[in-house]
Amino acid sequence: MEKLRKADQILPSRAADYIRGEITATPLELVKEIRRGLFNRLRHRQISDRAYELWEQGGRPMTGRDLDFWLAAEREIDAR
């Protein structure tokens, strides 16, 4: 989750730095960096949504199974 927060802050900042000419990365490197950040955010959201669905299907247990649901969702998303 912390990586996602950083991506929310870093990506716009990196793009602005590039526009101002304060960045040495090539446009292709910058695009790749932004794509990685967006992909990671999308993947995290998909896993989160699926883990919630699995939690609901599992009877909404109050404690102790959150990691199980997360890992199961992660496996499903990565298998696609």
Side-chain angles (χ1 to χ4, degrees), residues 9-26:
Q9 297 166 358
I10 291 172
L11 294 177
S13 172
R14 297 281 288 160
D17 290 347
Y18 179 77
I19 291 168
R20 287 192 303 267
E22 298 173 0
I23 194 168
T24 58
T26 66

Side-chain angles (χ1 to χ4, degrees), residues 55 58-69:
W55 172 74
R60 298 181 175 195
M62 296 304 281
T63 58
R65 305 241 353 256
D66 53 333
L67 184 58
D68 295 333
F69 294 126

Side-chain angles (χ1 to χ4, degrees), residues 14-74:
R14 297 281 288 160
D17 290 347
Y18 179 77
I19 291 168
R20 287 192 303 267
E22 298 173 0
I23 194 168
T24 58
T26 66
L28 182 58
E29 291 169 337
L30 185 60
V31 167
K32 286 180 180 179
E33 182 180 337
I34 291 170
R35 286 179 69 188
R36 269 192 309 276
L38 293 174
F39 174 79
N40 288 338
R41 290 171 61 187
L42 174 62
R43 180 178 175 269
H44 184 274
R45 183 61 190 197
Q46 290 172 331
I47 292 169
S48 178
D49 290 347
R50 182 61 183 142
Y52 183 80
E53 291 171 359
L54 293 172
W55 172 74
E56 285 186 322
Q57 292 169 6
R60 298 181 175 195
M62 296 304 281
T63 58
R65 305 241 353 256
D66 53 333
L67 184 58
D68 295 333
F69 294 126
W70 184 270
L71 294 175
E74 194 172 48

